[in-house]
Amino acid sequence: MKEKMTIGEFAKLKNITAETLRHYDRYDLLKPEYIDEKTGYRFYSIFQFEKLSTILELRQLGMNLSEIKDFFDNRNAENSLKLLEERYEKLLEEIEKLEYLKDSISYKISHLKTFLNSEYLNQNDFKNIPERKALLWKKGLNSGMEVEYGYAELEQYLKEFAPIFAENRYGVRRTLNELNDWNSYLILFVDENLPLPDYSTVDIIKIPGGLYVTTLCQGTENDVIQHIQNMKNELEGKGYKISGDIIQIVQIDLSVTGAVESLLYEIQIPVESF
């Protein structure tokens, strides 16, 4: 056993690189204990092992070098307790976020498996759907550029941190106007009320619950419009009329597939009998 160690020997004690020790030296966090006056070689002491271990443990707790240096400059039992309590609270927050993210990813996997293997393409189905809440972008959709700006603005109001990649949260609300044409508005489904400024181009709406006819269809925007018109004609022939706004949910979007022809939409038409 020896007290003095080269930088490589000292680094090997904790399986770190010599460059990591040099970085701590440059930061005045952990400097070599000895410098040979003749050769200029720098040596660490085994008695510095405790400080190196503490630095590495504090790094694991997420502290940066500036925070660690401040800790050593003011180290005592009370400050150590306070530090651990603060880091414990942050760790609990991180665990909560990871649990949320885990559940989110699990849902996305299940969702994609369901719709990638769907046997109900182009088949109409009657469903009772409960009331839902959504953010609505009040500007009408006339181009792909407006859709992207709408996505960007709607997501600014979300409080959640899990990405909405591969989810069925986005959709379009289609309203039939006096010219018998469709006005389309981007929507994003949410589970909570969000604070919105008065001047916002975003609003929170409630989508009425009730009886809907739903179907899945693939293709472009024009394909969807044609599909809606076909459904409308078929429903009228069976004694049903549209009783509200049509909801179009993106079940598989461009974040999942780069092929426009593979986009999958669920069309939900509220109906009542004549």
Side-chain angles (χ1 to χ4, degrees):
M1 293 186 291
K2 58 183 182 180
E3 181 188 344
K4 294 181 182 179
M5 295 181 178
T6 66
I7 188 171
E9 291 171 335
F10 194 59
K12 190 178 293 185
L13 292 177
K14 294 297 290 184
N15 294 317
I16 60 175
T17 65
E19 179 54 35
T20 297
L21 287 175
R22 293 189 185 97
H23 185 53
Y24 294 164
D25 180 11
R26 291 191 292 267
Y27 210 84
D28 289 333
L29 185 58
L30 182 62
K31 304 186 76 66
E33 190 74 16
Y34 309 103
I35 300 177
D36 190 298
E37 294 180 358
K38 294 181 180 180
T39 64
Y41 290 163
R42 305 155 77 83
F43 296 92
Y44 288 84
S45 167
I46 188 61
F47 295 107
Q48 292 179 281
F49 180 77
E50 176 274 328
K51 186 171 185 179
L52 174 61
S53 298
T54 302
I55 291 171
L56 296 177
E57 289 175 12
L58 295 178
R59 290 290 288 151
Q60 284 186 315
L61 291 177
M63 295 178 66
N64 60 42
L65 296 187
S66 178
E67 291 172 327
I68 294 174
K69 191 172 186 300
D70 183 66
F71 167 77
F72 280 111
D73 291 341
N74 301 279
R75 179 161 52 161
N76 57 48
E78 289 77 12
N79 285 342
S80 295
L81 174 60
K82 181 181 179 183
L83 169 69
L84 289 175
E85 289 175 337
E86 290 174 350
R87 292 296 155 174
Y88 180 73
E89 290 300 320
K90 288 188 177 181
L91 183 60
L92 291 180
E93 292 176 4
E94 289 300 319
I95 291 173
E96 183 179 357
K97 289 181 179 180
L98 288 174
E99 287 290 339
Y100 184 93
L101 192 57
K102 182 194 72 172
D103 293 342
S104 175
I105 291 174
S106 176
Y107 170 79
K108 297 172 197 289
I109 291 172
S110 175
H111 170 73
L112 285 177
K113 283 182 177 179
T114 297
F115 286 97
L116 283 174
N117 301 306
S118 176
E119 300 176 355
Y120 302 103
L121 194 65
N122 300 324
Q123 295 185 29
N124 293 345
D125 186 24
F126 285 84
K127 293 181 181 178
N128 278 300
I129 299 178
E131 180 183 87
R132 293 160 287 175
K133 284 186 287 189
L135 295 178
L136 176 137
W137 197 50
K138 292 188 262 187
K139 297 181 179 179
L141 300 178
N142 297 304
S143 69
M145 183 181 299
E146 289 172 336
V147 171
E148 296 302 324
Y149 273 105
Y151 285 160
E153 190 160 349
L154 286 173
E155 290 183 25
Q156 289 178 6
Y157 294 95
L158 295 181
K159 294 181 180 178
E160 59 207 64
F161 52 85
I164 60 175
F165 162 78
E167 282 196 23
N168 56 345
R169 301 274 300 280
Y170 271 117
V172 174
R173 186 182 76 172
R174 299 188 184 276
T175 304
L176 198 61
N177 61 30
E178 63 275 6
L179 299 177
N180 205 33
D181 197 6
W182 299 104
N183 291 332
S184 302
Y185 301 90
L186 197 65
I187 58 175
L188 173 60
F189 291 100
V190 294
D191 296 324
E192 58 181 322
N193 290 320
L194 302 173
L196 300 174
D198 294 337
Y199 57 84
S200 174
T201 57
V202 176
D203 200 0
I204 294 181
I205 62 169
K206 290 183 178 180
I207 299 172
L211 182 63
Y212 285 77
V213 175
T214 69
T215 190
L216 298 174
C217 68
Q218 286 182 308
T220 65
E221 176 72 5
N222 289 335
D223 295 328
V224 173
I225 293 296
Q226 184 59 55
H227 201 91
I228 290 175
Q229 188 59 48
N230 293 342
M231 289 179 68
K232 181 174 178 290
N233 294 339
E234 183 178 342
L235 287 169
E236 289 174 351
K238 293 182 178 181
Y240 290 93
K241 65 178 180 179
I242 297 176
S243 60
D245 296 336
I246 294 174
I247 304 300
Q248 172 187 321
I249 300 174
V250 187
Q251 296 292 3
I252 295 182
D253 63 16
L254 286 174
S255 72
V256 175
T257 175
V260 174
E261 62 273 14
S262 297
L263 297 177
L264 182 67
Y265 301 97
E266 179 179 351
I267 300 170
Q268 301 175 347
I269 301 179
V271 294
E272 59 184 20
S273 57
F274 287 120

